[in-house]
Amino acid sequence: MKRILLFSLSVMISGILLAGGIVTNQNHSAMYTRMLARDATLGIDAVFYNPAGLTLLPNNGFYLSVNNQSLFQTRTVKTNYYNLSYNTDRSVSPYYEYTGEIQAPLFPGIYAAYVMDNWAFSVGFNPIGGGGGGTYETGLPSFEYSISDLVPALAEMGATAYSMDAYFEGLAAYFGYQANVSYKFNDKLSVALGGRYVQAKEAYNGYIRDVSVIMGGVSTPASAIFSGLATQASDGATLATGAATDINNAISGGFIGGSDPLADPTAIGTLTAFGLYTPGMTNDQAVAAFTGLATELTGQAAVATGTANVLQDQEADYEKTATGFTPIISVNFKPNDQWNFAFKYEHRTKLEFTNKTSKDFTVGFEPDGTPITMFPDGEKTRNDIPSMFMLGATFKPTDKLLLSTGIHYYFDKGADYGVKDESGEKIDNADAFEGNSYEFALGAEYQITDKLKGSAGYLRTKSNPKNVYQSDLSQTLPSNSLAGGFAYQVIPMLEVNLAAMYTHYNEGINDITHYFGGDPTMPKTIREKYKKPVLTFAVGLNFNFSAGK
């Protein structure tokens, strides 16, 4: 059934994804935050990065790592849509700007391992995806595009401007619970099998209120304007239906002939007012004209009523949840004391989300009047974590210096991210991406004193989305990250890690199609620009309960 789409409000959110793929986080320890290349690590965070390498921890016994990162991001969305009118001075820039503050003060990573001769058993917990909450105090461009169309749409009625009050906040967190079993064949070769149980949750709430149109210097609720238009159209439909009935009754009663020219001055005046009268029009033609007019005005009344309902104060409050499982395999090869190599493969995690909605935005109506909502209760959508592989290597040219590198490759095109095109139809990931995402990392660590180590790292992340994947609230952009920090051995069994990282994203430019007033025959191209730098601080405590053995 064809839908009458009155407004399109597109809302997506992902947490602060700074190190990792489009869905997958890789920043999971303070050691990572100070180095950025941990893929071949033989430390306790190998529970996540290199499970096979855990068999090479120095002694039998128990190891524990507790980490937290605090992440802060400002997201800026700029748009050049000419109908927007009130949040940027057009004389200064053709772009209007919206800002969102994203924070994740608690971003934990907890790892434990027990080494017993050739075996290692380990568990870990971290936010494998998402992990941040965002607030947009003035909403987003997608909230405002259709509302801004009200001014040109109502220009003949004297509309000169509009106003509205919008707010949006969201949270995304994909918690991963991982377990591994590792085995060492000899001092050079180790393997591990593991799995991760993922609990994913996304939650949103927001509102659009006080949508008004300025006419003659007076602010009028937009819903009231369209309610008035609906009443006018409905009254006109009633009038046209009555006129058609009166003429038909006169023809049936033999008072006039159907082929006779229309002579009723009231009927002629009404048809003339609607531009439907032609000289010499017959009574039968007048009946047809009035009947068609009644049908048209009834449809206009329905659309105006639906628009009035959409423009009333609205609020959304919903969450969606999913669970999935990720099989993991890992191999570590250490040919000598200088070199170490690691490989890890994570299978795709299928995540099918189910909506739980208490309040929802109404964005349109079916022809029969059934509301179309943004987040239907019980609706199921997909947003998988893609399969990926990691290759890493470390090299110790001297006893004090450690160099590391790593490559991560994400099979985005083989996952299902639930991407939809501009008409709202779901499309395959293969049609939403030019290619898969990848990362390249370099790191260095130097033993400054017997107890103090300093480190630094660089990470390049490259994703390859098409425009259809990008939106004003969720974008994947190429980035460069720089990091540094220190590790201090407080006592033999305790090491403290402190680190900071800055991630700079390339500016994203996205051309989107907006349909003026929701009319699919009136497409408008809008250019949006995105920026979202991230600053991260991390602290970690590593406990080696086997120290001294």
Side-chain angles (χ1 to χ4, degrees), residues 41 65 74 83 153 180 203 256 275 291 335 348 354 363-364 389 398 458 477:
T41 179
S65 179
T74 298
N83 284 342
N180 312 290
I256 58 175
T291 301
R348 183 185 67 168
T354 301
V363 296
F389 72 77
T398 71
Y458 167 78
L477 305 174

Side-chain angles (χ1 to χ4, degrees), residues 182-424:
S182 309
Y183 181 75
K184 180 172 65 176
F185 292 100
N186 51 51
D187 290 340
K188 295 183 178 181
L189 181 64
S190 301
V191 298
L193 293 176
R196 179 184 301 116
Y197 176 71
V198 178
Q199 285 184 313
K201 176 181 178 179
E202 299 181 12
Y204 312 94
N205 69 79
Y207 59 76
I208 300 175
R209 299 173 181 165
D210 301 328
V211 179
S212 298
V213 178
I214 313 302
M215 294 181 173
V218 178
S219 178
T220 303
S223 59
I225 295 173
F226 280 91
S227 292
L229 293 174
T231 298
Q232 292 178 18
S234 180
D235 290 346
T238 300
L239 176 64
T241 300
T245 300
D246 290 343
I247 297 173
N248 256 331
N249 289 339
I251 294 173
S252 300
F255 298 105
I256 58 175
S259 59
D260 293 341
L262 177 66
D264 183 344
T266 302
I268 292 174
T270 301
L271 290 174
T272 300
F274 283 97
L276 299 175
Y277 178 72
T278 57
M281 173 182 281
T282 67
N283 290 317
D284 284 339
Q285 290 172 333
V287 171
F290 276 118
T291 301
L293 177 61
T295 300
E296 180 182 349
L297 291 175
T298 299
Q300 290 179 5
V303 171
T305 298
T307 304
N309 291 333
V310 170
L311 291 172
Q312 291 178 350
D313 291 354
Q314 295 204 61
E315 186 175 353
D317 188 357
Y318 98 109
E319 65 179 40
K320 60 181 181 179
T321 57
T323 59
F325 182 75
T326 312
I328 302 169
I329 60 173
S330 171
V331 178
N332 191 86
F333 179 64
K334 186 175 176 59
N336 53 51
D337 291 339
Q338 287 186 306
W339 287 96
N340 190 62
F341 302 93
F343 166 83
K344 184 178 75 165
Y345 179 79
E346 296 189 358
H347 290 262
R348 183 185 67 168
T349 310
K350 177 182 176 181
L351 292 174
E352 183 175 72
F353 288 82
T354 301
N355 287 359
K356 183 179 180 182
T357 305
S358 58
K359 299 177 182 178
D360 204 353
F361 287 131
T362 298
V363 296
F365 293 86
E366 301 283 3
D368 64 358
T370 302
I372 302 169
T373 60
M374 184 179 295
F375 310 114
D377 188 43
E379 182 182 61
K380 296 183 182 297
T381 55
R382 288 281 293 278
N383 193 15
D384 297 346
I385 298 175
S387 57
M388 63 160 293
F389 72 77
M390 301 169 63
L391 294 174
T394 60
F395 175 61
K396 293 196 69 173
T398 71
D399 289 340
K400 292 188 175 183
L401 179 63
L402 174 70
L403 303 176
S404 62
T405 187
I407 297 174
H408 316 147
Y409 190 85
Y410 304 89
F411 295 90
D412 298 312
K413 299 182 73 172
D416 185 345
Y417 290 164
V419 182
K420 296 182 180 180
D421 63 18
E422 292 165 342
S423 67

Side-chain angles (χ1 to χ4, degrees), residues 328-543:
I328 302 169
I329 60 173
S330 171
V331 178
N332 191 86
F333 179 64
K334 186 175 176 59
N336 53 51
D337 291 339
Q338 287 186 306
W339 287 96
N340 190 62
F341 302 93
F343 166 83
K344 184 178 75 165
Y345 179 79
E346 296 189 358
H347 290 262
R348 183 185 67 168
T349 310
K350 177 182 176 181
L351 292 174
E352 183 175 72
F353 288 82
T354 301
N355 287 359
K356 183 179 180 182
T357 305
S358 58
K359 299 177 182 178
D360 204 353
F361 287 131
T362 298
V363 296
F365 293 86
E366 301 283 3
D368 64 358
T370 302
I372 302 169
T373 60
M374 184 179 295
F375 310 114
D377 188 43
E379 182 182 61
K380 296 183 182 297
T381 55
R382 288 281 293 278
N383 193 15
D384 297 346
I385 298 175
S387 57
M388 63 160 293
F389 72 77
M390 301 169 63
L391 294 174
T394 60
F395 175 61
K396 293 196 69 173
T398 71
D399 289 340
K400 292 188 175 183
L401 179 63
L402 174 70
L403 303 176
S404 62
T405 187
I407 297 174
H408 316 147
Y409 190 85
Y410 304 89
F411 295 90
D412 298 312
K413 299 182 73 172
D416 185 345
Y417 290 164
V419 182
K420 296 182 180 180
D421 63 18
E422 292 165 342
S423 67
E425 297 297 320
K426 185 178 176 181
I427 63 175
D428 291 335
N429 267 24
D431 297 323
F433 295 89
E434 297 288 353
N436 293 317
S437 305
Y438 62 87
E439 293 183 301
F440 174 70
L442 291 171
E445 181 181 78
Y446 188 77
Q447 190 79 44
I448 301 171
T449 69
D450 289 344
K451 292 188 175 184
L452 180 65
K453 293 184 287 189
S455 60
Y458 167 78
L459 176 74
R460 170 63 175 172
T461 301
K462 181 66 171 68
S463 55
N464 295 283
K466 295 182 181 179
N467 280 4
V468 68
Y469 181 82
Q470 308 284 63
S471 76
D472 55 359
L473 187 53
S474 180
Q475 319 95 34
T476 175
L477 305 174
S479 67
N480 295 281
S481 299
L482 293 174
F486 298 92
Y488 185 76
Q489 197 75 41
V490 181
I491 56 176
M493 68 171 292
L494 175 61
E495 178 186 76
V496 176
N497 288 268
L498 298 174
M501 172 170 60
Y502 177 76
T503 299
H504 172 77
Y505 288 88
N506 296 358
E507 182 178 64
I509 298 177
N510 189 34
D511 291 328
I512 65 172
T513 300
H514 165 69
Y515 296 99
F516 179 86
D519 187 343
T521 66
M522 300 182 67
K524 305 290 183 181
T525 299
I526 301 172
R527 171 155 289 187
E528 293 182 341
K529 295 183 178 182
Y530 313 125
K531 285 187 176 181
K532 51 178 189 179
V534 181
L535 184 61
T536 304
F537 301 98
V539 59
L541 302 176
N542 294 339
F543 299 91

